[in-house]
Amino acid sequence: MIIDRVMHAGWFTNGWLVAGRQEGPGLLFDSGAEPQKLLALVRKRAVKVTAIFCSHRHHDHVTGLDFLARNLGAPVYVHALEKPFVVAATDTVADGQVFEFDGFSAQVMHLPGHTPGQIALHVPGAGVFTADTLFKNSVANTVNAGQGDYDKMRASVERLFTLPPETVVYPGHGDTTTIGTEWEKNPFLRLWRGLEAPGAKPGRFEGKRVTIEVFARDFDGNGKAQVRLLDGRLAIVPGSKLQKVTL
């Protein structure tokens, strides 16, 4: 089986090529914001792309989708809640929908929380393409200008852990991992599972006081944190926007 990617050097965004074999049918999952390189990879592998999936609306995942669709002659699928924001999208998908290719199946998983309509693709025997829901050592942020929802994001992450532990995770940014590894080592999962107590360090996010319950490094080196806001609500925030306060 072919599972290969291009990754943007600045955003660390992954575009994934998935196929059963060279010169066979396959899929693309996101553009990686490097459409020319992804097209070159498709041609190198001589794969006939039958579908392009866009995980969610953010610019680092949609850049170049129109270029890829035009050059590959393939439809662009996105969840209905994301379609108004993805100009290149031609078709919509729903949770549980299955796409067959070369003896393999790819099942759509609707995983809201980072955005309302974010999707993942589960390809049994190959892995799960988690987009911006689950990363190596980290999870998605929930503070995207009204798009994010902490409770939905956490439920989406926890849904991924119904997959077998050996399932390979192909994230939207950074390096691969496995479901089993993240179950044991991911700081957010360890907190949610009650294996670690929430921290109580003070901080500021966008000028407002917060309590930092857990902090973890992720793909960009800046990390993410679960914070408790003054009104008691929880959020996952990017480390680049979090100020740690020393008392």
Side-chain angles (χ1 to χ4, degrees):
M1 187 172 196
I2 295 170
I3 299 178
D4 211 342
R5 68 171 173 177
V6 298
M7 184 170 68
H8 191 280
W11 297 328
F12 307 103
T13 318
N14 293 320
W16 295 100
L17 170 64
V18 190
R21 55 189 168 84
Q22 292 210 155
E23 301 183 356
L27 314 172
L28 290 180
F29 189 71
D30 283 344
S31 70
E34 294 275 17
Q36 291 87 356
K37 292 182 180 179
L38 196 54
L39 178 62
L41 177 62
V42 170
R43 289 175 172 167
K44 178 182 177 181
R45 296 291 201 176
V47 170
K48 172 59 178 176
V49 172
T50 58
I52 302 169
F53 294 89
C54 175
S55 64
H56 64 294
R57 68 188 72 177
H58 292 156
H59 68 280
D60 52 341
H61 294 263
V62 305
T63 296
L65 287 176
D66 53 346
F67 171 86
L68 290 168
R70 191 167 60 249
N71 281 275
L72 295 171
V76 177
Y77 292 92
V78 68
H79 192 277
L81 293 174
E82 303 294 292
K83 193 173 187 294
F85 308 95
V86 182
V87 175
T90 58
D91 297 89
T92 60
V93 293
D95 186 62
Q97 190 168 347
V98 175
F99 291 78
E100 304 287 345
F101 66 103
D102 206 27
F104 292 89
S105 62
Q107 184 175 41
V108 175
M109 300 177 73
H110 177 211
L111 300 179
H114 183 60
T115 68
Q118 182 169 231
I119 61 169
L121 276 187
H122 177 219
V123 182
V128 59
F129 299 83
T130 59
D132 284 7
T133 299
L134 177 66
F135 308 109
K136 182 178 181 178
N137 202 52
S138 187
V139 296
N141 81 69
T142 62
V143 287
N144 296 304
Q147 302 166 26
D149 183 298
Y150 173 86
D151 291 332
K152 289 181 179 179
M153 190 281 300
R154 178 169 168 174
S156 291
V157 172
E158 290 174 342
R159 181 183 176 190
L160 289 169
F161 287 90
T162 64
L163 299 175
E166 66 272 16
T167 303
V168 180
V169 173
Y170 300 98
H173 297 263
D175 294 331
T176 60
T177 182
T178 67
I179 289 294
T181 297
E182 296 310 302
W183 178 255
E184 295 296 335
K185 296 183 177 181
N186 189 298
F188 294 92
L189 267 295
R190 291 184 65 81
L191 174 67
W192 298 344
R193 293 174 60 201
L195 300 178
E196 306 286 349
K201 293 183 179 179
R204 287 188 178 275
F205 175 70
E206 296 184 338
K208 299 177 182 178
R209 290 172 54 197
V210 298
T211 300
I212 303 171
E213 295 195 341
V214 65
F215 181 88
R217 296 288 178 188
D218 64 1
F219 60 85
D220 63 1
N222 292 318
K224 298 235 178 55
Q226 176 170 303
V227 302
R228 187 171 295 276
L229 309 176
L230 284 177
D231 61 7
R233 290 181 297 122
L234 292 168
I236 306 294
V237 304
S240 60
K241 297 182 179 181
L242 180 66
Q243 178 186 1
K244 297 179 181 179
V245 177
T246 302
L247 295 179

